Amino acid sequence: MGSIKEKTTESGLPAAVDFEAGQTQLGAVHDAENLTILGYVPELQRNRSMFTLLFQSLAIAAIPYGFGGPLISAIYGGGQLPMFLGWIVVLILAECIALSLSELASRYPTSAGPYYWSFQLASPRYRTVLSFITGWTWLIGNWTISLSVNFGFASMLAAAISLFEPDFSIQSWQLLLIFYAICLLTFFMAAFGNKLLPLVDTICAVFTAVSILVTCIYVSVKADVGRHSPSYTLGHYDTTLSGWNEFSFWIGILPSAYTFSAIGMISSMAEECGDPTVKLPNAISLCVPVGGIAGLFFIIPLCATLPDLADILDAPVGQALPYIFGRVTGSPGGGLALTVLVLIITLFCSLSITVAASRCTWAFARDNAIPLARLWAKVDERHGTPIWALGLTTIIEMLLGLINLGSSSAFLAFVSVGVISLAVSYGIPIAISLFHKRKEVNSARWTMGKYLGLVVNLLASAWIAFEVVLFSMPTALPVTEVSMNYAIVVFVGFMALSAIWYGIYARKVYRGPPESDGLTVDS
């Protein structure tokens, strides 16, 4: 895997922190100094700007896939009203989370992210345990949300094939092989193309914008099943499909919530960006408004041309979007063309989200929190990538994918587990900060201020709590063995395994991340 070693200078310091040279090998002097204040030695190349971080966050959101992949939930939830209004509601609440995370990332800009924040904010008596809990929910969220994207690609590809072969029924093992191919492809691209990844994220941003525009025009012009009136387009609401009656609206916002569930994952890229105390929070906070506006150009044309909702529920492999494209364009070819655009965006998303997840894994291993930590914490010097951590992330995804061979309903729980885990990992440091009256974040270089910050943090906490409940619920009633949502069971199972690991061994070696006061306006 290349040469993995630590270079040193005449002063005995790692080359990356030889400040006398005025410029380090891995970034500007002040960035290296700031990272040492936070307790770490620079190991990754700072080759990302604010814009490439923003583009990576937008690639992770992947609007057409993020919304279109789980679109069947919005159909169960009532159709147009939860699709349009639900998108607006989620934008507001997701931005509250993004702003809250931005402050924390500005005060403590390391790849350790939420578990580092929890450790620094909590009281000495509880911070090690809280940090360990946050870290494992963060790690589980990164792994399972990445898995959901890769498997979502396989499912959407199968649905695209069904446009030409309506009787085609893909087998579980065939889905698994497609899933494995995507996992391996993203591994090699992320492992050996690190220098090109910022350019790839930029290309993804442009391609996504063009694809949304093409879809908007094509769907609006073709409208083979007709166009709805403006009031129907934005306000139609069928409460009879899910069995949840008036609560169906909240079931219908699940695709919107899933789209922006991973907005905090780019905090793991903090050590690959110059001046992260400003650029990282800017990227996190801009993702939702930029992606939200772009999403309206994708969602509104769909709402205006949507086929009968009951028909969409029978879409192959539970993938509504390819079916809708096929019906609206009036031809399998047209539907396939639009679906291919979404598949390419999903591939970009898979790469970007896998990169972020590997940095999370690497950071947690660096602090000795997972088994065989020293191995996963190594950085390949030749490629500037934590290849071992990337490999572990890929292997975990591939092993979890095997569950689909035994139970598709159990596997689908991992999609919800990803959202739940990420939400909890965001919520813990936000709640700790609130408990201590926002003392630390109020002095960060990027802050909302005392009063606005308080309101935003409270809204973010409330939304996180509701989101955990929402993603634990079945999409439709009555509940059957197949339709049951096992997400909370899987989540508790993961946390039980991490608790066993902590009790058996981790409590003896894990002391939390390095203690630091963080970076303030005066730093």
Side-chain angles (χ1 to χ4, degrees):
M1 290 207 179
S3 174
I4 302 177
K5 60 182 181 179
E6 185 180 72
K7 290 185 176 180
T8 58
T9 64
E10 293 181 0
S11 64
L13 290 170
V17 291
D18 186 14
F19 301 131
E20 295 179 2
Q23 177 75 23
T24 72
Q25 291 182 359
L26 303 178
V29 168
H30 72 90
D31 289 327
E33 289 177 330
N34 285 342
L35 190 56
T36 58
I37 291 173
L38 296 171
Y40 297 114
V41 172
E43 296 182 80
L44 303 178
Q45 299 171 357
R46 293 188 183 270
N47 62 348
R48 294 179 181 269
S49 65
M50 189 280 286
F51 283 106
T52 55
L53 280 179
L54 172 60
F55 295 154
Q56 184 182 2
S57 67
L58 290 170
I60 290 173
I63 307 299
Y65 165 74
F67 185 82
L71 182 58
I72 197 76
S73 295
I75 303 303
Y76 273 110
Q80 282 87 340
L81 183 66
M83 287 173 65
F84 171 69
L85 183 59
W87 182 258
I88 304 299
V89 170
V90 168
L91 289 185
I92 295 170
L93 296 172
E95 181 64 4
C96 288
I97 295 178
L99 292 171
S100 299
L101 299 181
S102 296
E103 291 184 308
L104 292 163
S106 177
R107 181 69 189 244
Y108 308 106
T110 85
S111 295
Y115 79 88
Y116 186 97
W117 307 337
S118 292
F119 183 85
Q120 310 303 340
L121 295 169
S123 66
R125 182 177 180 181
Y126 302 108
R127 64 186 181 186
T128 302
V129 172
L130 283 172
S131 171
F132 190 82
I133 293 171
T134 307
W136 270 99
T137 56
W138 176 233
L139 188 64
I140 291 164
N142 274 257
W143 286 345
T144 51
I145 207 75
S146 301
L147 179 150
S148 74
V149 172
N150 290 341
F151 208 87
F153 179 96
S155 299
M156 190 166 290
L157 180 60
I161 296 172
S162 298
L163 289 172
F164 285 95
E165 298 291 339
D167 297 328
F168 172 74
S169 178
I170 194 165
Q171 302 299 310
S172 296
W173 65 268
Q174 293 172 317
L175 272 178
L176 186 68
L177 290 179
I178 299 171
F179 167 69
Y180 278 179
I182 296 301
C183 287
L184 293 174
L185 176 63
T186 54
F187 169 79
F188 283 106
M189 293 175 68
F192 305 115
N194 188 52
K195 293 181 180 179
L196 297 175
L197 291 181
L199 175 61
V200 171
D201 289 327
T202 303
I203 293 172
C204 173
V206 175
F207 185 84
T208 302
V210 172
S211 297
I212 289 175
L213 183 61
V214 168
T215 303
C216 175
I217 295 172
Y218 194 19
V219 167
S220 300
V221 170
K222 291 292 289 184
D224 198 64
V225 293
R227 298 179 182 85
H228 304 300
S229 67
S231 60
Y232 192 98
T233 296
L234 303 181
H236 177 66
Y237 182 38
D238 187 342
T239 62
T240 65
L241 300 174
S242 70
W244 285 103
N245 299 321
E246 294 302 322
F247 191 78
S248 296
F249 175 84
W250 300 106
I251 299 298
I253 72 168
L254 291 176
S256 303
Y258 175 75
T259 302
F260 293 108
S261 61
I263 49 177
M265 285 184 66
I266 61 163
S267 63
S268 293
M269 308 301 295
E271 295 174 36
E272 296 173 66
C273 170
D275 196 16
T277 56
V278 174
K279 292 180 180 178
L280 179 59
N282 280 343
I284 295 173
S285 60
L286 284 172
C287 174
V288 176
V290 173
I293 293 171
L296 289 174
F297 288 90
F298 182 77
I299 293 168
I300 293 177
L302 286 181
C303 291
T305 57
L306 213 58
D308 184 78
L309 300 181
D311 292 342
I312 300 174
L313 295 180
D314 296 324
V317 206
Q319 286 290 335
L321 194 61
Y323 175 83
I324 293 170
F325 282 159
R327 288 287 306 278
V328 171
T329 60
S331 69
L336 179 62
L338 294 182
T339 304
V340 166
L341 295 180
V342 178
L343 285 170
I344 294 173
I345 291 169
T346 309
L347 186 59
F348 278 121
C349 174
S350 176
L351 177 59
S352 297
I353 206 167
T354 299
V355 168
S358 70
R359 302 316 191 255
C360 162
T361 306
W362 167 76
F364 208 33
R366 179 177 58 178
D367 287 320
N368 209 23
I370 59 179
L372 302 176
R374 292 183 63 182
L375 176 63
W376 316 126
K378 291 181 179 180
V379 174
D380 183 81
E381 187 178 282
R382 180 181 176 185
H383 300 98
T385 305
I387 291 182
W388 289 98
L390 178 62
L392 176 62
T393 301
T394 303
I395 290 170
I396 292 293
E397 287 184 37
M398 294 175 75
L399 289 175
L400 291 176
L402 290 171
I403 294 175
N404 190 61
L405 293 177
S407 172
S408 59
S409 59
F411 174 81
L412 291 174
F414 286 110
V415 176
S416 296
V417 166
V419 177
I420 291 171
S421 299
L422 289 176
V424 171
S425 69
Y426 302 154
I428 293 174
I430 293 173
I432 297 172
S433 179
L434 279 170
F435 182 79
H436 292 286
K437 300 179 181 179
R438 295 175 38 84
K439 182 176 66 173
E440 303 297 332
V441 295
N442 281 333
S443 57
R445 286 188 64 191
W446 198 104
T447 181
M448 292 180 282
K450 183 177 180 180
Y451 299 107
L452 177 61
L454 175 63
V455 174
V456 170
N457 288 170
L458 288 172
L459 284 172
S461 299
W463 170 235
I464 287 170
F466 184 59
E467 200 173 24
V468 169
V469 174
L470 202 57
F471 276 87
S472 301
M473 299 171 65
T475 302
L477 297 177
V479 178
T480 65
E481 183 178 346
V482 175
S483 66
M484 176 62 185
N485 188 339
Y486 296 97
I488 198 66
V489 176
V490 176
F491 176 72
V492 171
F494 272 129
M495 296 312 297
L497 290 175
S498 67
I500 292 170
W501 167 246
Y502 185 80
I504 293 174
Y505 182 74
R507 63 185 177 84
K508 303 173 185 177
V509 297
Y510 180 71
R511 298 291 178 264
E515 187 174 351
S516 172
D517 290 331
L519 304 177
T520 65
V521 175
D522 300 323
S523 296

